[in-house]
Amino acid sequence: CGVCGWVVRRWYDRRPRLVRDLPCGDLRVLLAVDVRRVRCPVCRGVKQERLPWLAETPHYTRRFARFVGKLCRGMSLTEVAADLRLDWHAVKAMDMA
């Protein structure tokens, strides 16, 4: 459980999610990940599984967010957004994190 820390061995359900990773040349890389929800017997809630390699925004990996942050050191936010085909607000949020 992501809230109380109780180890739950079964999952409640799962949903596929596309997560963006580092580009390979000019190609975007999207990972198809099943994000599971678990029912915790201690706190009696259904919580979504937290994956350690995802960023705070679950649509990107942590290494992609670091890559965007490194690009923002040498380029403006609008240039990074245009280069990676991202929204300016998403680049700003990754740069601040």
Side-chain angles (χ1 to χ4, degrees):
C1 179
V3 175
C4 66
W6 187 266
V7 177
V8 181
R9 303 212 186 275
R10 292 188 198 170
W11 42 273
Y12 180 68
D13 69 348
R14 65 180 181 207
R15 293 183 183 179
R17 174 176 286 166
L18 291 177
V19 179
R20 186 155 177 195
D21 200 15
L22 289 176
C24 182
D26 288 340
L27 300 175
R28 285 192 259 181
V29 176
L30 296 172
L31 305 174
V33 179
D34 279 343
V35 178
R36 298 178 293 194
R37 296 191 312 165
V38 296
R39 181 181 294 159
C40 181
V42 175
C43 59
R44 298 182 190 230
V46 177
K47 309 291 192 267
Q48 186 170 326
E49 174 184 44
R50 292 187 186 225
L51 299 173
W53 49 273
L54 286 181
E56 283 90 27
T57 306
H59 301 289
Y60 309 106
T61 60
R62 284 190 184 198
R63 63 183 180 181
F64 181 73
R66 272 188 259 125
F67 174 70
V68 170
K70 287 179 184 177
L71 285 179
C72 288
R73 290 181 193 162
M75 299 165 53
S76 69
L77 294 177
T78 55
E79 290 174 340
V80 173
D83 189 33
L84 296 175
R85 291 178 260 160
L86 288 170
D87 184 40
W88 181 86
H89 297 288
V91 173
K92 175 83 173 172
M94 281 189 266
D95 185 36
M96 297 211 20

